[in-house]
Amino acid sequence: MSEKKARLSFEGSDKTIELPMYQGTLGPEVVDVRGLTAKGLFTFDPGFVSTASCESAITYIDGAEGTLLHRGYPIDQLAEHSNFLETCYLLLNGELPDKKQNQDFKESIRYHTMVHEQLYNFFNGFPRDAHPMAIMVGVVGALSAFYHDTIDIDDPEHRRLAAHRLIAKLPTIADMTYKHSIGQPFMYPRNDLSYSENFLHMMFSTPCEEPNISPTLAKAMDVIFLLHADHEQNASTSTVRLAGSTGANPYACISSGISALWGPAHGGANEAVLSMLGEIGDETQIEKYIAKAKDKDDPFRLMGFGHRVYKNFDPRSRVMRKICDEVLAELGVEDDPLFRMARKLEKIALEDDYFIERKLYPNVDFYSGIILKAMGIPTSMFTVIFAVGRTPGWISHWNEMLSSPMKIGRPRQLYTGAKQRDYPAK
Ligand code: CMC
């Protein structure tokens, strides 16, 4: 941390306040405004878009450059050379595992894939047409009830155990929400399969039949999980941190992250891509919808295009595009009207000045939505899959926060309501 200071001066006054400044290993300098409260001042930053809410060594994003690093490693290199579980280890522990650590970690995750038999009863309370995310919020939170003897958040071993349990059990619970919705029996995890193969097995197998899992589809699933594994202090991760700062147990915290992820502005965008393709209907309507997207008076936007942070390109979408090609080819559905329409839309938008000038490239949700749809996964499960992928990120941030002294999160406000007044006499 440097000795550099920022100086705050006030119009019509000689008063100045000196504020310490810090430089991280990458990224913009930050001004430490903590001292302002004692001087009777708050900073105003709705949505916290200019606020570094914490110090973190997990993930770095440079939106202008299109950079995403996990513990320093570029996301495209991880997608090419690593796999989801190894990336989970990296996020949790800060370094890539050696051979033994990798083996031990995989075994620990495998060991925890089953859920308690009592947990099955929870599903009976949910209607068959419940949104899978509604079930996820409830059932993941309910895990707290099963592990109350190992949720001492000050004990690093308890935290490690919770992290492994959550990474291992989320796919099982996710697939149970799907099986519940279609009225099929739940499938037990198969620990001879890889993480992603097992996910597809629990989703598509029945007690009568176990379809072969194509290596291309298993790889695609793994890369989808990996590309969603963490994304710095986004809304759901910040929610997990805020919940965790109260001392809440890890299962409750991850459930709060799942709730925040559910919103269409966050994890729901890949589902929105498919709804949009449905609304466009067929290729002859694309020009009309491109015109609608460009019309300032029309609220319609091309779902799956643009990003709040990435103003150059989303490094994850390059990887996802390649996987998308492989999956469509493997499944022989390139000529399916829906996917042809998606390709045409992508091409037109990439060549159109409106989108080029505003740097509106297809984002990760555009391709993941298409891949998951092609794999036969219903759109209601898309955000659930995002939640499975994001779990190691959430739990790594929660663990990082608890590993050093911390304060309960408590933002302040610019109050614009009524001043104090007396209750009217009756
Ligand atoms: N279609 C048409 N025009 C768009 C779009 C779009 N998808 N996105 C932005 N614009 C226009 C917008 O109208 C504005 O035009 P102008 O400068 O003429 O007023 C300009 O581009 C800048 O837009 P903005 O709203 O200031 O950009 P933003 O950074 O606030 O919004 C966004 C980012 C992701 C909310 C937005 O691009 C959007 O709504 N995209 C569609 C939804 C979507 O795909 N969301 C998923 C994002 S990835 C999620 C994740 O990483 O977890």
Side-chain angles (χ1 to χ4, degrees):
M1 304 281 177
S2 77
E3 293 300 306
K4 196 168 163 185
K5 300 260 190 286
R7 203 158 288 113
L8 191 61
S9 59
F10 300 83
E11 213 174 277
S13 156
D14 293 341
K15 186 169 103 172
T16 57
I17 298 176
E18 278 199 346
L19 301 166
M21 291 185 68
Y22 313 129
Q23 175 67 67
T25 39
L26 291 168
E29 291 176 289
V30 302
V31 179
D32 182 347
V33 296
R34 281 176 292 183
L36 288 180
T37 314
K39 300 199 187 307
L41 287 170
F42 296 150
T43 53
F44 183 56
D45 182 21
F48 313 122
V49 289
S50 302
T51 297
S53 62
C54 61
E55 203 180 312
S56 181
I58 300 174
T59 289
Y60 173 74
I61 299 173
D62 182 333
E65 291 295 320
T67 303
L68 169 59
L69 310 177
H70 291 324
R71 303 287 190 182
Y73 295 106
I75 191 69
D76 51 323
Q77 291 185 23
L78 290 171
E80 192 176 343
H81 303 296
S82 181
N83 55 55
F84 179 63
L85 276 191
E86 191 187 58
T87 301
C88 290
Y89 183 98
L90 173 70
L91 289 168
L92 284 168
N93 299 291
E95 296 296 337
L96 288 166
D98 61 27
K99 218 167 161 199
K100 175 156 187 337
Q101 288 164 330
N102 197 14
Q103 201 49 37
D104 291 349
F105 183 67
K106 282 204 292 207
E107 260 161 39
S108 175
I109 300 299
R110 264 203 284 270
Y111 178 76
H112 289 292
T113 49
M114 276 207 305
V115 294
H116 196 292
E117 284 288 309
Q118 285 292 114
L119 201 80
Y120 285 61
N121 296 328
F122 280 71
F123 285 79
N124 292 331
F126 288 100
R128 292 280 175 196
D129 60 355
H131 195 288
M133 283 296 276
I135 307 181
M136 289 291 283
V137 170
V139 173
V140 173
L143 289 175
S144 333
F146 294 85
Y147 303 113
H148 47 79
D149 52 343
T150 46
I151 50 173
D152 176 359
I153 59 161
D154 296 321
D155 182 335
E157 180 50 25
H158 282 202
R159 295 207 300 270
R160 191 196 62 82
L161 197 52
H164 289 206
R165 280 187 176 135
L166 278 157
I167 291 169
K169 291 181 200 305
L170 258 280
T172 313
I173 296 172
D175 279 328
M176 288 167 80
T177 70
Y178 174 61
K179 289 296 194 190
H180 178 74
S181 73
I182 56 171
Q184 286 186 1
F186 300 134
M187 294 301 293
Y188 284 102
R190 261 186 55 193
N191 288 354
D192 58 319
L193 299 176
S194 73
Y195 191 88
S196 302
E197 285 169 339
N198 185 40
F199 178 79
L200 293 173
H201 154 72
M202 290 186 290
M203 176 165 264
F204 292 119
S205 294
T206 69
C208 317
E209 211 170 345
E210 293 201 6
N212 284 335
I213 298 155
S214 127
T216 308
L217 302 195
K219 166 82 182 153
M221 206 62 242
D222 199 75
V223 173
I224 288 177
F225 287 143
L226 186 153
L227 293 180
H228 285 94
D230 190 38
H231 214 225
E232 206 227 59
Q233 311 306 327
N234 56 82
S236 57
T237 302
S238 297
T239 302
V240 170
R241 278 189 179 259
L242 201 52
S245 79
T246 69
N249 75 69
Y251 307 101
C253 293
I254 298 305
S255 169
S256 73
I258 295 172
S259 304
L261 184 74
W262 193 359
H266 191 3
N270 47 15
E271 204 173 324
V273 171
L274 267 296
S275 311
M276 177 193 71
L277 292 175
E279 187 189 330
I280 296 176
D282 66 72
E283 283 182 54
T284 61
Q285 300 300 307
I286 290 181
E287 294 293 349
K288 182 176 127 199
Y289 276 88
I290 294 271
K292 270 165 77 65
K294 288 156 59 170
D295 181 355
K296 286 272 143 279
D297 298 325
D298 192 322
F300 177 79
R301 282 188 168 198
L302 274 195
M303 289 295 123
F305 286 79
H307 198 277
R308 177 57 52 80
V309 177
Y310 296 115
K311 295 302 178 193
N312 188 344
F313 67 94
D314 179 341
R316 300 167 301 173
S317 60
R318 281 199 178 149
V319 180
M320 208 66 112
R321 188 181 198 283
K322 191 165 162 273
I323 299 283
C324 186
D325 287 342
E326 287 167 14
V327 168
L328 296 188
E330 161 98 6
L331 295 171
V333 293
E334 297 122 306
D335 275 337
D336 179 290
L338 185 85
F339 303 123
R340 270 217 327 264
M341 184 167 67
R343 283 285 187 239
K344 192 159 177 200
L345 190 69
E346 175 201 23
K347 185 167 183 300
I348 293 176
L350 284 173
E351 289 167 359
D352 188 299
D353 283 347
Y354 173 93
F355 292 91
I356 295 169
E357 279 160 19
R358 289 169 180 75
K359 300 185 188 302
L360 300 172
Y361 302 96
N363 58 45
V364 68
D365 294 305
F366 182 75
Y367 297 112
S368 68
I370 295 170
I371 297 171
L372 295 174
K373 173 77 182 166
M375 286 167 82
I377 297 175
T379 47
S380 59
M381 285 298 290
F382 289 7
T383 317
V384 173
I385 287 170
F386 191 158
V388 173
R390 185 53 56 87
T391 297
W394 288 330
I395 200 81
S396 300
H397 282 272
W398 172 82
N399 191 42
E400 179 181 69
M401 180 181 70
L402 293 171
S403 302
S404 46
M406 52 125 198
K407 279 186 188 304
I408 181 171
R410 180 58 171 93
R412 306 306 292 251
Q413 63 175 4
L414 170 65
Y415 177 68
T416 54
K419 292 190 173 156
Q420 182 170 337
R421 48 186 166 165
D422 290 327
Y423 187 81
K426 285 200 174 130

